Amino acid sequence: MTSVTTPPRRRAEALTRGRIVEVAVELLDTDGEGGLTFRALARALATGAGAIYWHVANKDELLAAATDAVVADALATESAGDPADRVRAVALGLFDAIDEHPWVAGQLSASSWQATSPRIFEIVGRQVRDLGVPHARWFTVTSVLVQYVLGAAAQNAANARILGPDVDRDEFLGAVSTTWEELDPDEYAFTRTVAEQMRSHDDREQFLAGIDLVLAGISTLAPG
């Protein structure tokens, strides 16, 4: 009796570095950094780990490539308008990208001067230059903008991760707002007065308001 052997499952497309990075992003989105292993990646790609190592040396390189891919995609959209409008567009692109891929925040924080960060610094810096900021202030002003964008986006992603998918945001903010309203009126006079604003705030609008505050400060540096 002739035995029948099941043929190995074939990949639907050629294995490339780009495809590996694409699947790595998907794994990071669903399982986090801990879920990104070469075994899981090989299984998702229907290949062997050795084939992946041909394109990517190790997990650190893979994480850097995945981060760079997400950031490059976020910065790819051309924005019309003046330099301030372009700053807002870049900032929102990064905010939304980190909101969608929360693991990116940790990667940017861990490698602040590595490959991806100069990409962000360059595009923000060009807008700072076009806003008329004196050359001697370019580094400081660009750094402040980048730090605000990445810091606020990272905090937003961290908040979402803490709440988790099963927690209703409106209910959570309502409960916190009520707690603020019940604080001691002498010790927390200010906090009590903004409790309702905290309850109804929109994270994205609040982020953009921060960008506008930074831009207002920058405008005082430009001649004329």
Side-chain angles (χ1 to χ4, degrees), residues 148-173:
Y148 171 75
V149 170
L150 297 184
Q155 185 60 58
N156 177 69
N159 291 342
R161 188 166 56 250
I162 291 170
L163 290 180
D166 300 327
V167 177
D168 183 275
R169 179 181 180 277
D170 291 338
E171 289 182 5
F172 176 80
L173 290 180

Side-chain angles (χ1 to χ4, degrees), residues 70 74 89-102 153 156 204 207:
V70 169
V90 168
L92 272 181
L94 289 168
F95 182 87
D96 290 341
I98 293 175
D99 185 51
E100 185 178 354
H101 312 279
N156 177 69
R204 212 162 178 266
F207 172 75

Side-chain angles (χ1 to χ4, degrees), residues 28-52:
L28 286 161
D29 288 345
T30 55
D31 302 324
E33 187 177 335
L36 179 62
T37 65
F38 274 66
R39 176 176 293 182
L41 194 57
R43 185 166 55 250
L45 289 164
T47 189
I52 297 173

Side-chain angles (χ1 to χ4, degrees), residues 190-203:
F190 175 81
T191 302
R192 283 166 52 93
T193 64
V194 297
E196 183 56 37
Q197 295 177 30
M198 190 274 290
R199 181 197 303 266
S200 59
H201 85 278
D202 179 273
D203 294 326

